Amino acid sequence: MVKTGRAAVMTEARKPLEIREYPLPRVDKGCILVKITCCTICGSDLHTWTGRRKSPTPIILGHEIIGKIVELGEGVALDSGNRPLKVGDRITWTIMDNCGKCYYCREKGLMMKCTSLKKYGHDSCAEAPHFVGGFAEYCYITPGTCVIKLPDELTDEEVAPANCALATVVAAWDAIGLQPFDNVLIQGAGALGFYAAALARHCGCERIIVTDIIESRLEFVRRFGATDTINTKGMKDEEIVGAVKGLTGGFGVDCAIELAGLPALIPLGLRCLRTGGRYMETGSAWAGANFTFDASELIFRCLTLKGVHNYDTKHLQQAVDFLRMTHDRFPFRELVGEEVNLDRINEGLRIAESGKTIRVAVKP
Ligand SMILES: [Zn+2]
Ligand SMILES: [Zn+2]
């Protein structure tokens, strides 16, 4: 008899996910079948569920996934760090499966822009192997995915968001060239903002200024290394720019990052930069996120404006290493405030949408 597994499937935006049973796939060469132990709900899952972002259906959402190996396909012996893999090992893996052979993979070092890209939690689950997302009992990992064996000292809840939120921030800081002694501005005290602050602190940054409009989150982000917080509720843009300059000797920050998902913050963040400063856009990842900025200011003030989408394998490994090194120092565990099983997935999505907690964990 063919074994089956359960999955929470989205058939249409805004409709409750429904539980379906799919047959477990035969594990082909180079593939891994994983029993999922934890998948945290990411902001982009909510974008898809609310219809803000288009996606194929039916779909199993969820991409911040941790699981234990159930079966290893022929030829799979090591993870991406050359650590031996065996049945029962706890692993995470890159959000994407890339071919390693195309123009972007081979020549441009942009594996996340592979021309045959597959993304967990982003593709249709209609066809076998079905288990291609995180809100399910199993996940089928294909050969173009980079797998990382997890250190025992990290809990599932601590490490699940590494797969998307943390690795993305690692990639963003890498792309914008974060350096020790930099003064930085982080716009948005959500999951990515907490990680951005902790990484900046770990890197040896001087002023780590975080802006948001929710006071409790600003208090919380101080525990992740923020040195200064500004509650921008009711503040005019020039007042915010003035406050940031006031904290940086009148010059502005070396580096700023938008993680709130509000394109209106981009011109404001650019104005908070010192001359020669660098700006990283990471938060407003949906079409139509327009902003207006005077291009002459980019020129006269020698500013850099960059975008980053997802990350490279090395960033996921660095994310896991960072958690291992600093999990006693920063309260990563407290980012996950609620836990639901597959049957309560719709409740989990509503809690995540309410913003009551930073992350909701789905434990099938
Ligand atoms: Zn490729
Ligand atoms: Zn995500």
Side-chain angles (χ1 to χ4, degrees), residues 52 258 260-268 279 281 283-284 286 288-292:
R52 193 178 198 181
E258 190 272 302
L262 295 170
L265 293 180
I266 300 169
L268 172 63
Y279 192 82
E281 172 47 33
S284 300
W286 70 89
N290 299 309
F291 69 95
T292 305

Side-chain angles (χ1 to χ4, degrees), residues 20-234:
R20 289 188 185 174
E21 293 239 359
Y22 288 117
L24 294 189
R26 194 192 66 202
V27 182
D28 287 332
K29 191 176 172 184
C31 298
I32 303 174
L33 183 67
V34 164
K35 184 106 165 58
I36 294 173
T37 53
C38 179
C39 178
T40 40
I41 301 177
C42 172
S44 64
D45 292 317
L46 295 175
H47 286 332
T48 308
W49 181 59
T50 55
R52 193 178 198 181
R53 207 144 88 166
K54 289 264 163 292
S55 88
T57 50
I59 185 171
I60 303 169
L61 295 172
H63 50 270
E64 294 183 340
I65 322 170
I66 304 296
K68 284 188 174 164
I69 297 173
V70 173
E71 195 179 336
L72 288 165
E74 190 196 325
V76 187
L78 302 172
D79 79 350
S80 63
N82 274 14
R83 289 162 290 244
L85 289 176
K86 61 177 191 313
V87 168
D89 279 348
R90 197 169 61 120
I91 57 170
T92 191
W93 53 94
T94 44
I95 191 171
M96 61 280 191
D97 172 300
N98 66 305
C99 77
K101 293 174 187 163
C102 72
Y103 174 73
Y104 284 116
C105 283
R106 267 196 179 144
E107 290 204 14
K108 298 297 163 189
L110 285 169
M111 57 185 279
M112 70 296 273
K113 296 296 155 191
C114 170
T115 54
S116 334
L117 189 73
K118 287 188 281 179
K119 275 173 91 174
Y120 296 93
H122 289 71
D123 298 331
S124 166
C125 64
E127 309 286 331
H130 306 294
F131 292 96
V132 291
F135 302 158
E137 287 181 315
Y138 294 89
C139 191
Y140 188 64
I141 301 174
T142 40
T145 313
C146 291
V147 168
I148 293 175
K149 187 169 158 173
L150 293 170
D152 290 338
E153 61 259 49
L154 294 176
T155 64
D156 281 3
E157 291 84 353
E158 275 171 327
V159 81
N163 181 303
C164 176
L166 177 54
T168 298
V169 181
V170 173
W173 278 146
D174 182 25
I176 206 69
L178 186 74
Q179 291 183 34
F181 311 110
D182 270 353
N183 292 316
V184 301
L185 169 66
I186 297 163
Q187 296 172 292
L192 280 79
F194 293 119
Y195 288 128
L199 282 162
R201 189 61 175 258
H202 183 64
C203 172
C205 290
E206 200 171 333
R207 290 276 188 189
I208 301 164
I209 306 163
V210 183
T211 57
D212 203 284
I213 54 167
I214 302 173
E215 195 55 41
S216 58
R217 292 205 170 188
L218 289 170
E219 273 164 38
F220 194 28
V221 77
R222 285 181 173 268
R223 294 175 59 203
F224 288 86
T227 57
D228 303 272
T229 55
I230 304 171
N231 189 333
T232 53
K233 195 169 187 175

